[in-house]
Amino acid sequence: MKAEKLAEWVEHASGGQGLAQSDQGPRFPTTRDERWRYTRAGAIVGRPMRPVATAGQAPDSRPLPCLDAWRLVFVDGHFDSANSTLPDAGDLAEGVFIGPVSEGSKRFPEQASQWGHGHFSKTEWFAALQSSSAQDGACILVPAHLDLSSRPILIEHHLSGPGIVSHPRNILHIQQGAKAEILLWTSSDAHADGLVNLALDARVEADAELKLEYVQDEQGRNAHISHLAITQLEGSRLDMHTATARAHWLRNDVRIEQAGERGVSNFNGCFAAAEDEFVDHHTHVDHAQPDGRSAELYKGLALAGGKAVFNGKIVVHPNAQRIEAFQKNSNILLERGSTVYAKPELEIYADDVRCSHGCTTGQFDEDALFYLRSRGLTRPAAKRLLTQAFLSEALNGARAEVQAHVEAVMLTRINPA
Amino acid sequence: MLKIKNLHARVEGQEILCGLSLEMGSGEVHAIMGPNGSGKSTLASILAGRDTYEITEGSIEFMGVDLLALDATERAVAGVFIAFQYPVEIPGVSNMNFLRTSINSIRDQKGEEPMPAKDFLAKVKQCAKLVELDGKLRDRSVNEGFSGGEKKRNEVFQLAMLEPLLAVLDETDSGLDIDALRIVSSGVNALRSAERSFLIITHYQRLLDHIVPDRVHVLAGGRIVRSGDKSLALELEDKGYDWINEELAQ
Ligand SMILES: Nc1ncnc2c1ncn2[C@@H]1O[C@H](COP(=O)(O)OP(=O)(O)OP(=O)(O)O)[C@@H](O)[C@H]1O
Ligand SMILES: [Mg+2]
């Protein structure tokens, strides 16, 4: 990609903001960069796209319509208050905020000055673009010792049509000893072909708990890059599920930093790449302090012509003793001509550490398939049952509505033959 | 109901069945005995429709249809059931979900309505009682972490649920303790009927004390080398297989 062409694309895609400190900042990723070895971002910047000044059409219905939740809806990076369901300010305890960043930053200017732009904006080109072009997103502030988990908060980001890029910015701040359950949901219109370039910065303070579910269910042929940076302080807990139920071209970057002692991070993911689709999950957990635990399970499926990437990095810093870190990744190639690149990366600089990882990529067990067929299941039904079983392990612990939705979308979509 | 004629089968270039013939009538119980590696499980797999075996000659007719023309699923729908010697573990698929899917899949292929949930549960209860299958095992993943004996019991539980016309039991007795052997055999006896036939592969007479066969066959070197009534099993128990080999050599 020529520098002038890229600059021209950036000019449009950033809505005239350009890239902050473009000279010293991160370079545009190519397959020569280890973190982008299998991921061709060049195609994205080959198509012109712009952020829109006013939001397009919101989808007709809300995801998980039966779920009793506070709902924040954003379309093309703009807050859609008409479709959102929010508490009245007076109904919430002092210091709680559930609303758009645009409003939260005005109501809580002191806190807002500390929000910053997350880990990735300094290391990743698309995240730098996101931060210089940041649009609206959800802001959830939970003050110390408040348990907000009785009602989940569903954040929906929708991309409404062709030629549009959105740069949503989401801020979660769970203060000491507080609890929250948050669902992040992305969708796109069938005609969307631009880019969702989303950032989420979460700070989970001492002894706080965050349950985070992230569902990506996009109908369009748009690209999607997520930058999720989660910082955990001492004794905090994160339970996270990520499901790429449907996406045309997607890259998820997750970084969890255990910046305090005794952090607990459980994070699972599942994804499927059908024909002509690309899904890339990069995860990175940083054990910077002692006595932390992390457990990670990612499961991937690929069909003919589908390509998926999993890269799971675990870093245990010197002096971060007595860490337990587990990682498991299994992938199934459902048909010939499907590809999964899987790579665990362990960097351990402390000596008293329990760390394990397992990574397998294969096909369905022919013996299991035959056993099911010998009991009257057709081959597709047998594969379906095995697929469901395969996914269920990664979805275990997510709320039932999320599990049901993700399974239903994935099973109908991949419909293995 | 079952006519196997001059069956030849090979795997990886090696001929395992060489001219096996066997006939069974409806409601009959036949036992197959024979040395290790003689081809008994191969016969069971071929009846089930496993395509790793290449049939080079011969035919199998089941209820008047060419069984070899059906795939594994279609055979199950037609009423063939194999209780496998080594049942497969399927993590993540609950026994109940598996059985419900199985029963309704068979019904669907026969053009029948799915079994109502209430009837299904009643049937589960009744069949589990028949083989005294622990309630906990019903809710676990298919065979996952089951003991050898529990797996065998689960096979017979499935047999009872699916009500096949032909049930092949491949060494269902091995791995069962003395009580379990009695329970499972009385379960099988309860399932005997004028329409349902059983082909019982075993090494031991003790199972045949409980489930009394109409015919006993000896499979050796890929063929049925001798058939007789239940006394043949006793004779084998007494003398082993050498005398048959010797007689054959003459
Ligand atoms: N898939 C296969 N690949 C290679 N050889 C096979 C295969 N299946 C069976 N065989 C061989 O065929 C022969 C018959 O095996 P089979 O399992 O049918 O014996 P069996 O009579 O059931 O023995 P046992 O009493 O030990 O259960 C054996 O020599 C076995 O090694
Ligand atoms: Mg055998």
Side-chain angles (χ1 to χ4, degrees):
Chain A
M1 164 88 27
K2 289 251 168 55
E4 311 88 72
K5 286 212 105 173
L6 187 60
E8 191 188 326
W9 185 87
V10 167
E11 181 62 23
H12 291 153
S14 64
Q17 300 298 313
L19 268 177
Q21 25 149 292
S22 55
D23 299 335
Q24 306 99 302
R27 282 181 307 117
F28 184 79
T30 71
T31 51
R32 286 186 299 277
D33 297 301
E34 194 51 39
R35 279 172 50 76
W36 291 81
R37 218 169 126 194
Y38 305 106
T39 309
R40 295 176 184 279
I44 301 172
V45 297
R47 335 187 264 270
M49 53 184 81
R50 298 166 195 269
V52 286
T54 47
Q57 185 75 32
D60 297 338
S61 57
R62 306 274 65 80
L64 310 184
C66 298
L67 182 73
D68 181 26
W70 300 119
R71 289 171 186 264
L72 285 144
V73 180
F74 297 85
V75 177
D76 303 328
H78 298 279
F79 181 50
D80 178 349
S81 65
N83 279 307
S84 298
T85 311
L86 290 177
D88 292 329
D91 292 347
L92 289 176
E94 177 76 24
V96 180
F97 183 75
I98 304 173
V101 172
S102 54
E103 194 187 325
S105 56
K106 286 192 202 112
R107 291 261 304 275
F108 299 88
E110 253 170 60
Q111 289 191 38
S113 66
Q114 291 164 25
W115 288 339
H117 275 286
H119 165 80
F120 290 110
S121 64
K122 292 166 212 86
T123 56
E124 285 293 332
W125 189 89
F126 281 99
L129 174 69
Q130 195 287 329
S131 80
S132 64
S133 334
Q135 293 175 298
D136 217 352
C139 176
I140 292 158
L141 309 176
V142 189
H145 306 296
L146 192 89
D147 184 350
L148 212 63
S149 64
S150 58
R151 191 167 190 191
I153 302 160
L154 199 163
I155 306 164
E156 183 187 350
H157 283 283
H158 181 73
L159 195 67
S160 75
I164 305 173
V165 51
S166 70
H167 303 282
R169 178 193 187 198
N170 302 277
I171 304 287
L172 313 180
H173 191 172
I174 321 298
Q175 293 197 10
Q176 183 165 6
K179 282 185 193 173
E181 298 197 355
I182 295 169
L183 285 94
L184 182 61
W185 194 286
T186 60
S187 58
S188 69
D189 182 78
H191 298 103
D193 60 2
L195 170 68
V196 175
N197 189 23
L198 177 148
L200 177 134
D201 283 294
R203 190 172 165 83
V204 189
E205 293 201 348
D207 303 312
E209 291 179 21
L210 171 62
K211 180 173 170 68
L212 181 62
E213 285 155 296
Y214 187 8
V215 177
Q216 299 165 317
D217 183 1
E218 306 185 356
Q219 310 254 12
R221 293 179 64 83
N222 57 288
H224 174 131
I225 306 182
S226 271
H227 320 276
L228 276 58
I230 298 162
T231 304
Q232 289 186 249
L233 301 191
E234 64 269 21
S236 66
R237 179 183 174 101
L238 169 73
D239 287 292
M240 179 169 169
H241 289 86
T242 303
T244 309
R246 167 164 40 192
H248 179 65
W249 189 104
L250 179 141
R251 161 72 172 239
N252 253 7
D253 255 324
V254 177
R255 181 176 184 262
I256 297 165
E257 185 193 7
Q258 289 197 355
E261 300 181 6
R262 293 177 291 104
V264 174
S265 319
N266 299 316
F267 56 113
N268 288 4
C270 62
F271 49 96
E275 184 174 1
D276 203 23
E277 293 176 349
F278 175 80
V279 183
D280 172 356
H281 283 266
H282 266 65
T283 69
H284 177 166
V285 55
D286 235 327
H287 284 283
Q289 295 291 331
D291 298 303
R293 278 180 43 89
S294 65
E296 172 177 17
L297 172 67
Y298 269 69
K299 294 203 149 188
L301 295 166
L303 281 91
K307 192 167 124 180
V309 178
F310 172 79
N311 184 295
K313 188 166 181 170
I314 299 174
V315 181
V316 180
H317 292 247
N319 303 322
Q321 300 295 2
R322 298 171 303 278
I323 296 296
E324 287 183 15
F326 303 107
Q327 180 191 94
K328 193 175 145 195
N329 165 233
S330 11
N331 307 299
I332 292 199
L333 303 171
L334 284 160
E335 295 168 341
R336 273 170 195 279
S338 53
T339 314
V340 179
Y341 299 98
K343 185 175 166 198
E345 273 186 272
L346 276 62
E347 289 180 20
I348 298 170
Y349 303 105
D351 44 32
D352 184 7
V353 166
R354 287 218 303 149
C355 202
S356 76
H357 73 93
C359 176
T360 56
T361 297
Q363 277 144 351
F364 273 132
D365 180 4
E366 271 302 319
D367 291 338
L369 270 178
F370 177 72
Y371 189 76
L372 294 175
R373 292 177 62 220
S374 78
R375 301 303 186 237
L377 275 73
T378 58
R379 187 175 266 275
K383 281 200 172 177
R384 210 181 144 83
L385 198 62
L386 292 180
T387 305
Q388 202 177 2
F390 179 75
L391 293 174
S392 71
E393 199 191 354
L395 287 167
N396 199 1
R399 71 189 67 238
E401 296 92 332
V402 168
Q403 287 193 39
H405 180 88
V406 171
E407 272 183 14
V409 171
M410 280 173 129
L411 287 173
T412 38
R413 208 166 63 80
I414 62 185
N415 201 17
Chain B
M1 63 123 55
L2 182 71
K3 282 190 197 134
I4 305 175
K5 277 195 201 140
N6 190 32
L7 190 66
H8 290 254
R10 52 171 55 211
V11 64
E12 289 166 12
Q14 187 195 340
E15 184 150 75
I16 294 169
L17 298 184
C18 23
L20 185 144
S21 297
L22 180 73
E23 276 198 36
M24 283 176 77
S26 283
E28 292 180 0
V29 175
H30 289 217
I32 292 190
M33 305 182 84
N36 292 132
S38 56
K40 303 182 297 297
S41 294
T42 302
L43 174 64
S45 294
I46 287 171
L47 288 171
R50 184 112 215 199
D51 49 19
T52 37
Y53 301 92
E54 187 197 346
I55 312 294
T56 51
E57 223 184 306
S59 63
I60 306 178
E61 195 187 300
F62 172 70
M63 304 299 290
V65 302
D66 175 9
L67 196 69
L68 295 174
L70 307 181
D71 71 15
T73 306
E74 293 163 339
R75 293 184 197 195
V77 174
V80 176
F81 179 96
I82 317 291
F84 291 101
Q85 185 175 3
Y86 304 108
V88 183
E89 300 194 6
I90 311 181
V93 177
S94 86
N95 239 342
M96 284 305 89
N97 188 19
F98 162 53
L99 270 174
R100 187 181 295 112
T101 314
S102 166
I103 285 183
N104 287 334
S105 172
I106 290 173
R107 290 171 78 108
D108 180 54
Q109 289 168 79
K110 286 182 174 168
E112 297 168 8
E113 292 294 307
M115 186 181 273
K118 210 170 120 244
D119 298 1
F120 176 76
L121 289 175
K123 195 165 173 65
V124 164
K125 221 170 151 185
Q126 178 205 336
C127 296
K129 201 169 155 207
L130 194 70
V131 292
E132 297 183 20
L133 187 80
D134 196 317
K136 285 194 287 283
L137 297 182
R138 281 188 257 157
D139 300 328
R140 292 226 311 250
S141 288
V142 179
N143 295 324
E144 192 187 26
F146 284 30
S147 75
E150 286 167 347
K151 283 181 186 166
K152 297 302 176 72
R153 219 182 265 226
N154 197 27
E155 293 291 286
V156 180
F157 169 60
Q158 292 173 33
L159 193 172
M161 289 292 295
L162 296 181
E163 300 180 332
L165 292 171
L166 172 66
V168 180
L169 276 62
D170 190 358
E171 294 199 30
T172 301
D173 53 336
S174 53
L176 291 179
D177 66 39
I178 299 158
D179 290 336
L181 183 73
R182 191 176 35 76
I183 293 159
V184 167
S185 332
S186 64
V188 168
N189 282 330
L191 294 168
R192 286 178 73 162
S193 76
E195 294 80 42
R196 186 170 301 135
S197 309
F198 287 85
L199 186 59
I200 295 176
I201 297 170
T202 182
H203 287 293
Y204 305 106
Q205 163 60 30
R206 56 171 193 206
L207 177 70
L208 305 179
D209 287 340
H210 295 283
I211 310 170
V212 181
D214 299 304
R215 299 286 289 165
V216 175
H217 310 276
V218 179
L219 203 169
R223 288 185 299 132
I224 301 290
V225 293
R226 181 160 304 228
S227 299
D229 63 11
K230 62 184 182 192
S231 63
L232 178 59
L234 288 165
E235 205 173 345
L236 289 169
E237 179 99 332
D238 199 33
K239 302 201 238 170
Y241 294 110
D242 283 350
W243 63 279
I244 291 183
N245 291 334
E246 280 162 23
E247 280 191 21
L248 285 174
Q250 282 167 17

Short mmCIF file of all heavy atoms in Angstrom, two decimals, chain B residues 129-160:
data_model
loop_
_atom_site.label_atom_id
_atom_site.label_comp_id
_atom_site.label_asym_id
_atom_site.label_seq_id
_atom_site.Cartn_x
_atom_site.Cartn_y
_atom_site.Cartn_z
N LYS B 129 -35.08 -48.69 34.41
CA LYS B 129 -35.42 -49.63 35.47
C LYS B 129 -35.07 -51.06 35.02
O LYS B 129 -34.56 -51.87 35.80
CB LYS B 129 -36.92 -49.51 35.78
CG LYS B 129 -37.28 -50.05 37.14
CD LYS B 129 -38.70 -49.66 37.51
CE LYS B 129 -39.24 -50.68 38.51
NZ LYS B 129 -40.69 -50.78 38.43
N LEU B 130 -35.34 -51.32 33.76
CA LEU B 130 -35.11 -52.64 33.20
C LEU B 130 -33.66 -53.10 33.37
O LEU B 130 -33.40 -54.26 33.67
CB LEU B 130 -35.47 -52.61 31.71
CG LEU B 130 -35.61 -53.92 30.98
CD1 LEU B 130 -36.86 -54.65 31.45
CD2 LEU B 130 -35.69 -53.68 29.47
N VAL B 131 -32.71 -52.17 33.16
CA VAL B 131 -31.29 -52.55 33.30
C VAL B 131 -30.68 -51.93 34.55
O VAL B 131 -29.47 -51.93 34.72
CB VAL B 131 -30.46 -52.16 32.05
CG1 VAL B 131 -30.87 -52.99 30.86
CG2 VAL B 131 -30.58 -50.68 31.75
N GLU B 132 -31.55 -51.38 35.41
CA GLU B 132 -31.11 -50.73 36.65
C GLU B 132 -29.98 -49.74 36.39
O GLU B 132 -28.94 -49.76 37.04
CB GLU B 132 -30.73 -51.78 37.71
CG GLU B 132 -31.92 -52.63 38.10
CD GLU B 132 -31.60 -53.65 39.21
OE1 GLU B 132 -30.62 -53.44 39.93
OE2 GLU B 132 -32.35 -54.63 39.33
N LEU B 133 -30.22 -48.86 35.43
CA LEU B 133 -29.23 -47.83 35.10
C LEU B 133 -29.40 -46.68 36.09
O LEU B 133 -30.49 -46.15 36.25
CB LEU B 133 -29.44 -47.32 33.67
CG LEU B 133 -28.36 -46.37 33.15
CD1 LEU B 133 -27.14 -47.15 32.70
CD2 LEU B 133 -28.87 -45.52 32.00
N ASP B 134 -28.30 -46.31 36.70
CA ASP B 134 -28.29 -45.23 37.68
C ASP B 134 -28.78 -43.91 37.05
O ASP B 134 -28.38 -43.56 35.95
CB ASP B 134 -26.85 -45.05 38.18
CG ASP B 134 -26.80 -44.23 39.45
OD1 ASP B 134 -27.52 -43.21 39.52
OD2 ASP B 134 -26.06 -44.62 40.37
N GLY B 135 -29.66 -43.21 37.77
CA GLY B 135 -30.20 -41.94 37.28
C GLY B 135 -29.11 -40.94 36.91
O GLY B 135 -29.24 -40.19 35.96
N LYS B 136 -28.02 -40.98 37.66
CA LYS B 136 -26.92 -40.02 37.40
C LYS B 136 -26.30 -40.26 36.02
O LYS B 136 -25.91 -39.34 35.34
CB LYS B 136 -25.83 -40.16 38.48
CG LYS B 136 -26.24 -39.55 39.82
CD LYS B 136 -25.03 -39.39 40.74
CE LYS B 136 -24.53 -40.69 41.30
NZ LYS B 136 -25.31 -41.26 42.40
N LEU B 137 -26.24 -41.56 35.63
CA LEU B 137 -25.63 -41.89 34.35
C LEU B 137 -26.48 -41.38 33.19
O LEU B 137 -25.96 -41.01 32.14
CB LEU B 137 -25.44 -43.40 34.22
CG LEU B 137 -24.49 -44.04 35.22
CD1 LEU B 137 -24.36 -45.52 34.95
CD2 LEU B 137 -23.11 -43.39 35.17
N ARG B 138 -27.79 -41.34 33.40
CA ARG B 138 -28.68 -40.86 32.35
C ARG B 138 -28.39 -39.42 31.99
O ARG B 138 -28.49 -39.01 30.85
CB ARG B 138 -30.13 -40.94 32.82
CG ARG B 138 -30.72 -42.30 32.74
CD ARG B 138 -32.18 -42.19 33.05
NE ARG B 138 -32.45 -42.63 34.41
CZ ARG B 138 -33.52 -42.26 35.11
NH1 ARG B 138 -34.39 -41.43 34.60
NH2 ARG B 138 -33.72 -42.72 36.30
N ASP B 139 -28.02 -38.64 33.00
CA ASP B 139 -27.85 -37.21 32.78
C ASP B 139 -26.43 -36.83 32.37
O ASP B 139 -26.19 -35.71 31.96
CB ASP B 139 -28.24 -36.44 34.05
CG ASP B 139 -29.69 -36.71 34.41
OD1 ASP B 139 -30.48 -36.92 33.47
OD2 ASP B 139 -30.02 -36.73 35.60
N ARG B 140 -25.52 -37.78 32.45
CA ARG B 140 -24.14 -37.46 32.07
C ARG B 140 -23.95 -37.50 30.55
O ARG B 140 -24.81 -37.94 29.82
CB ARG B 140 -23.18 -38.46 32.73
CG ARG B 140 -23.14 -38.29 34.25
CD ARG B 140 -21.73 -38.29 34.82
NE ARG B 140 -20.88 -39.37 34.39
CZ ARG B 140 -20.49 -40.38 35.17
NH1 ARG B 140 -20.94 -40.47 36.40
NH2 ARG B 140 -19.67 -41.28 34.71
N SER B 141 -22.75 -37.04 30.13
CA SER B 141 -22.43 -37.12 28.71
C SER B 141 -22.33 -38.59 28.30
O SER B 141 -21.95 -39.43 29.10
CB SER B 141 -21.10 -36.44 28.43
OG SER B 141 -21.22 -35.06 28.53
N VAL B 142 -22.65 -38.86 27.04
CA VAL B 142 -22.70 -40.23 26.54
C VAL B 142 -21.40 -40.99 26.85
O VAL B 142 -20.34 -40.64 26.34
CB VAL B 142 -22.94 -40.25 25.01
CG1 VAL B 142 -22.96 -41.68 24.49
CG2 VAL B 142 -24.24 -39.53 24.67
N ASN B 143 -21.52 -41.97 27.72
CA ASN B 143 -20.42 -42.87 28.07
C ASN B 143 -19.19 -42.20 28.69
O ASN B 143 -18.22 -42.89 29.02
CB ASN B 143 -19.95 -43.70 26.85
CG ASN B 143 -21.03 -44.64 26.37
OD1 ASN B 143 -21.78 -45.18 27.17
ND2 ASN B 143 -21.13 -44.82 25.06
N GLU B 144 -19.22 -40.88 28.85
CA GLU B 144 -18.01 -40.20 29.31
C GLU B 144 -17.73 -40.55 30.77
O GLU B 144 -18.53 -40.31 31.65
CB GLU B 144 -18.12 -38.69 29.17
CG GLU B 144 -16.78 -38.01 29.37
CD GLU B 144 -16.89 -36.49 29.41
OE1 GLU B 144 -17.95 -35.96 29.76
OE2 GLU B 144 -15.90 -35.83 29.09
N GLY B 145 -16.55 -41.11 30.98
CA GLY B 145 -16.15 -41.48 32.34
C GLY B 145 -16.93 -42.66 32.90
O GLY B 145 -16.81 -42.96 34.08
N PHE B 146 -17.73 -43.34 32.06
CA PHE B 146 -18.44 -44.53 32.53
C PHE B 146 -17.45 -45.67 32.74
O PHE B 146 -16.48 -45.79 31.98
CB PHE B 146 -19.47 -45.01 31.49
CG PHE B 146 -20.73 -44.18 31.40
CD1 PHE B 146 -20.73 -42.82 31.70
CD2 PHE B 146 -21.93 -44.76 31.00
CE1 PHE B 146 -21.89 -42.06 31.59
CE2 PHE B 146 -23.10 -44.02 30.90
CZ PHE B 146 -23.07 -42.67 31.19
N SER B 147 -17.70 -46.50 33.71
CA SER B 147 -16.87 -47.69 33.86
C SER B 147 -17.21 -48.66 32.73
O SER B 147 -18.23 -48.49 32.05
CB SER B 147 -17.16 -48.35 35.21
OG SER B 147 -18.40 -49.03 35.15
N GLY B 148 -16.36 -49.68 32.55
CA GLY B 148 -16.60 -50.65 31.48
C GLY B 148 -18.01 -51.24 31.57
O GLY B 148 -18.73 -51.31 30.58
N GLY B 149 -18.39 -51.65 32.78
CA GLY B 149 -19.70 -52.25 32.98
C GLY B 149 -20.84 -51.27 32.76
O GLY B 149 -21.88 -51.62 32.20
N GLU B 150 -20.62 -50.01 33.18
CA GLU B 150 -21.66 -48.99 32.99
C GLU B 150 -21.91 -48.71 31.51
O GLU B 150 -23.05 -48.49 31.08
CB GLU B 150 -21.26 -47.69 33.71
CG GLU B 150 -21.38 -47.79 35.22
CD GLU B 150 -20.70 -46.64 35.97
OE1 GLU B 150 -19.91 -45.89 35.35
OE2 GLU B 150 -20.95 -46.52 37.17
N LYS B 151 -20.83 -48.76 30.73
CA LYS B 151 -20.99 -48.55 29.29
C LYS B 151 -21.86 -49.65 28.68
O LYS B 151 -22.73 -49.38 27.85
CB LYS B 151 -19.62 -48.56 28.59
CG LYS B 151 -18.86 -47.26 28.77
CD LYS B 151 -17.54 -47.30 28.04
CE LYS B 151 -16.74 -46.05 28.37
NZ LYS B 151 -15.34 -46.14 27.99
N LYS B 152 -21.61 -50.90 29.09
CA LYS B 152 -22.37 -52.03 28.56
C LYS B 152 -23.84 -51.91 28.93
O LYS B 152 -24.75 -52.16 28.15
CB LYS B 152 -21.79 -53.35 29.06
CG LYS B 152 -20.36 -53.61 28.61
CD LYS B 152 -20.25 -53.62 27.10
CE LYS B 152 -18.83 -53.78 26.59
NZ LYS B 152 -18.26 -55.09 26.77
N ARG B 153 -24.06 -51.52 30.17
CA ARG B 153 -25.42 -51.34 30.64
C ARG B 153 -26.13 -50.24 29.85
O ARG B 153 -27.31 -50.33 29.52
CB ARG B 153 -25.37 -50.94 32.11
CG ARG B 153 -26.44 -51.58 32.94
CD ARG B 153 -26.30 -51.07 34.34
NE ARG B 153 -25.51 -51.98 35.15
CZ ARG B 153 -25.88 -52.35 36.36
NH1 ARG B 153 -27.01 -51.91 36.88
NH2 ARG B 153 -25.14 -53.16 37.07
N ASN B 154 -25.37 -49.20 29.54
CA ASN B 154 -25.92 -48.08 28.77
C ASN B 154 -26.28 -48.53 27.36
O ASN B 154 -27.27 -48.06 26.78
CB ASN B 154 -24.89 -46.94 28.73
CG ASN B 154 -25.52 -45.60 28.33
OD1 ASN B 154 -26.71 -45.39 28.55
ND2 ASN B 154 -24.72 -44.73 27.74
N GLU B 155 -25.52 -49.45 26.80
CA GLU B 155 -25.84 -49.98 25.47
C GLU B 155 -27.17 -50.70 25.50
O GLU B 155 -28.01 -50.53 24.60
CB GLU B 155 -24.74 -50.94 24.99
CG GLU B 155 -23.38 -50.31 24.70
CD GLU B 155 -23.40 -49.41 23.47
OE1 GLU B 155 -23.45 -49.93 22.35
OE2 GLU B 155 -23.37 -48.18 23.67
N VAL B 156 -27.37 -51.52 26.52
CA VAL B 156 -28.62 -52.27 26.59
C VAL B 156 -29.79 -51.34 26.91
O VAL B 156 -30.91 -51.55 26.44
CB VAL B 156 -28.52 -53.43 27.62
CG1 VAL B 156 -29.82 -54.21 27.69
CG2 VAL B 156 -27.38 -54.36 27.24
N PHE B 157 -29.51 -50.29 27.66
CA PHE B 157 -30.52 -49.25 27.91
C PHE B 157 -30.98 -48.63 26.59
O PHE B 157 -32.17 -48.49 26.31
CB PHE B 157 -29.93 -48.19 28.86
CG PHE B 157 -30.75 -46.95 29.01
CD1 PHE B 157 -32.05 -47.00 29.50
CD2 PHE B 157 -30.21 -45.70 28.70
CE1 PHE B 157 -32.80 -45.85 29.65
CE2 PHE B 157 -30.95 -44.55 28.85
CZ PHE B 157 -32.24 -44.62 29.32
N GLN B 158 -30.00 -48.31 25.73
CA GLN B 158 -30.33 -47.74 24.42
C GLN B 158 -31.12 -48.74 23.58
O GLN B 158 -32.06 -48.38 22.87
CB GLN B 158 -29.06 -47.34 23.67
CG GLN B 158 -28.34 -46.16 24.29
CD GLN B 158 -27.00 -45.91 23.60
OE1 GLN B 158 -26.85 -46.12 22.41
NE2 GLN B 158 -26.02 -45.47 24.37
N LEU B 159 -30.70 -50.01 23.66
CA LEU B 159 -31.40 -51.07 22.94
C LEU B 159 -32.88 -51.08 23.33
O LEU B 159 -33.77 -51.09 22.48
CB LEU B 159 -30.75 -52.41 23.29
CG LEU B 159 -31.03 -53.68 22.50
CD1 LEU B 159 -30.10 -54.78 22.98
CD2 LEU B 159 -32.45 -54.16 22.56
N ALA B 160 -33.11 -51.00 24.64
CA ALA B 160 -34.49 -51.02 25.13
C ALA B 160 -35.26 -49.80 24.65
O ALA B 160 -36.44 -49.89 24.28
CB ALA B 160 -34.48 -51.07 26.66
#
